[in-house]
Amino acid sequence: MFPAKLVFAAVMYSMFLHGSWLHIVANMAFLGVFGPGVEARMGGVVFLAFYLVSGLVATGAHIAVQPSATVAIVGASGAIAGVMGAYLVLFPNRRIRAPDIPVVSVIGTISAKWILGFWFILQFFSNPAEGVAWVAHVGGFVFGALAALVLGDRLKPASASAPSIESG
């Protein structure tokens, strides 16, 4: 339809656009909770590459399932889902204490594996009419978990001084 379109550039740009203020605030809240720990283990440069590849994989998953979709997908959710998948593998028992996640702030603290597992399962119950690219979330999450498993021992050791807002 647009032969001169730079598809790779469009996908990269889409990871930095959002549909609303709530969309960007929610994404930044999840990135703020789960990103620092994963970045501390990967290092800044590897984390940036991992984040961008997670977004590309998430977009690819969405396109693979809905190749004829004409609705634009925007947001960092797929890339952030990759970070969340990596966090699940790297810190499954770390207790999350984050007022940015309403369920957790009511309960107090909860193990990462429970909050992330619940979030992952919740994706399969998304209402298609809401326009949420839930397959991108699932694709990013699965990629992130697999990447963390593959990288495993090559990552920096977990440090008590790693920057984060979770309790450890």
Side-chain angles (χ1 to χ4, degrees):
M1 187 141 107
F2 299 99
K5 182 176 182 178
L6 299 173
V7 176
F8 179 76
V11 170
M12 294 300 286
Y13 291 145
S14 74
M15 283 190 266
F16 298 96
L17 301 172
H18 288 79
S20 69
W21 282 107
L22 179 60
H23 188 200
I24 196 168
V25 167
N27 277 339
M28 293 304 99
F30 277 90
L31 185 60
V33 171
F34 300 109
V38 176
E39 182 182 11
R41 291 288 309 273
M42 291 183 173
V45 173
V46 173
F47 178 76
L48 176 61
F50 164 76
Y51 179 86
L52 294 174
V53 172
S54 292
L56 292 173
V57 169
T59 301
H62 177 76
I63 292 168
V65 171
Q66 298 179 330
S68 61
T70 57
V71 176
I73 59 170
V74 295
S77 305
I80 294 169
V83 173
M84 293 164 65
Y87 194 97
L88 176 64
V89 170
L90 299 173
F91 308 104
N93 295 312
R94 184 167 283 177
R95 310 244 345 134
I96 303 297
R97 183 190 72 236
D100 299 329
I101 303 175
V103 172
V104 177
S105 65
V106 170
I107 296 171
T109 63
I110 189 168
S111 291
K113 64 185 169 195
W114 293 111
I115 195 86
L116 292 171
F118 176 74
W119 179 88
F120 183 76
I121 291 168
L122 193 62
Q123 301 314 298
F124 294 95
F125 295 97
S126 294
N127 180 351
E130 291 178 357
V132 174
W134 68 272
V135 176
H137 296 169
V138 170
F141 190 92
V142 169
F143 171 77
L146 292 174
L149 284 170
V150 168
L151 293 172
D153 293 336
R154 286 173 268 191
L155 298 175
K156 296 176 184 176
S159 169
S161 63
S164 64
I165 59 171
E166 65 270 337
S167 64

